[in-house]
Amino acid sequence: MLASAAMTAVLSLASCDNNRKFTVTGEVTNAQDSLLYLENVGIEDIDVIDSVKLGADGQFTLKGNATEAPEFYRLRIDDQIINLSIDSTETVTVKAQYPQMATQYEVSGSDNCQKIKELALMQIQLQQQAIQLQRAPDLSVHEVNDSIHQLLVAYKEKVKNNYIFKEPNKPYAYFALFQTLGRYLIFDPQANKDDIKAFAAVATSWDTYYPGALRGQNLHNIAIEGMKNVRIIEAEQQNVVPAEKIEESGIIDIQLPDNKGRQRRLSELKGQVVLLDFHLFGMDDSPKRILMLRELYNKYHSQGLEIYQVSFDPDEHFWKQTTAALPWISVRDEEGIQSHKLIYYNVRALPDFFLIDRGNNLVKRSQQMDDVEAEIRKLL
């Protein structure tokens, strides 16, 4: 996914001196016999630094090697996570209650960790508000998207002013850049000019305060790449969808060659219920997703369901081999993940899908559906 790919690109271990340690101590109540992990979020993996089996009192002391630049860690029991930032050899104290550890905790000894807690709770609230909007039965897909967009604009403005631009050299400013809403990065470092400025501000500050740190260098790379993308987008009508792309029904039409070389238009499927799927066959979970789509297709194709699957895989030969036996429409966009079709449909992470009714009207996107099969049946 794009959101995870961006996070992976910037999370790196700073060099460390094994003789210098930092300490995370405290207690987690109601968690006797649970394993508490201290983990470092690395460039490719999340590595366990230390762990302890909690006793009846829930008290713990965990240690790790100090790093030359601030580094990011997390305390975890099962899927309950507390995010932390550690600067050098400091001691951070955490007191939490399980099983609501992610929200019910106190942290002391680190202003950065306190700010990260504030950001984490704000992010959880944003997520809950977005879910409520997506489940609102009286809102159309356009109204839901518009409302969530307004939420994001307000959220980003608050975070930029109070956390990122206020002290861009602080680890909590760095942390704020990579918050997510569901699977999507809240701050878009690929195509949003204002968001890219936030990445650039933090990158510049880290260069000043932590010269040579890999995180700062990677932030610079992300910001520079984003600036390039923005210039390309602005050169192509500044992200405005060309009028000829929009059908009278309101969908944004797509025309691409399928795996047999034939041009296939999305709008030609009017009269059928269409599952529009944006996909990368190179992803690890692609086979599982294809099996799910096969089940839906086999069950409902005879009743009027069609799948229009757009691949963004860079290797055309691999894509043709992978899709040769698929029964639905398989097309490929040679622009890959930089495709403007992803921008037009506001897709910020792959895979993603939409449902289109028999009149060529965009009805719902994946985030608005708890049960895609039930939604398909409604449209059929």
Side-chain angles (χ1 to χ4, degrees), residues 18-126:
N18 291 331
N19 295 321
R20 300 165 60 241
K21 300 286 184 178
F22 68 85
T23 303
V24 182
T25 188
E27 63 181 42
V28 180
T29 57
N30 303 325
Q32 183 176 359
D33 296 328
S34 296
L35 282 174
L36 175 67
Y37 295 95
L38 174 64
E39 299 173 328
N40 172 249
V41 184
I43 191 169
E44 293 180 349
D45 300 300
I46 296 175
D47 298 318
V48 175
I49 303 301
D50 200 358
S51 63
V52 64
K53 186 175 183 179
L54 296 174
D57 60 5
Q59 295 186 1
F60 67 91
T61 297
L62 300 168
K63 293 182 179 291
N65 294 326
T67 57
E68 295 178 3
E71 195 44 63
F72 295 89
Y73 302 88
R74 67 185 199 180
L75 291 174
R76 180 179 64 83
I77 299 178
D78 296 328
D79 61 350
Q80 289 291 299
I81 291 170
I82 296 174
N83 290 293
L84 304 170
S85 167
I86 303 294
D87 188 357
S88 188
T89 57
E90 66 185 351
T91 296
V92 176
T93 301
V94 177
K95 295 183 179 181
Q97 297 180 33
Y98 191 77
Q100 292 80 32
M101 187 174 85
T103 56
Q104 297 184 12
Y105 74 94
E106 297 177 359
V107 60
S108 58
S110 169
D111 180 63
N112 277 302
C113 289
Q114 182 59 44
K115 295 291 187 182
I116 285 174
K117 176 187 175 182
E118 293 173 11
L119 286 163
L121 294 180
M122 287 166 53
Q123 178 186 7
I124 290 170
Q125 183 182 30
L126 177 68

Side-chain angles (χ1 to χ4, degrees), residues 15 22 33 41 70 95 132 137 157 165 181 188 232 242 299 302 323 325 328 336 348-349 368:
S15 59
F22 68 85
D33 296 328
V41 184
K95 295 183 179 181
Q132 290 175 356
E157 190 68 17
F165 291 133
L181 179 59
D188 179 8
I232 293 172
K299 193 170 183 179
S302 62
T323 61
W328 53 75
R348 298 179 64 183
Q368 297 173 282

Side-chain angles (χ1 to χ4, degrees), residues 44 48 55 114 124 183 249 269 311 325 355 379:
E44 293 180 349
V48 175
Q114 182 59 44
I124 290 170
R183 297 174 295 169
S249 59
L269 300 177
S311 163
L355 281 183
L379 297 177

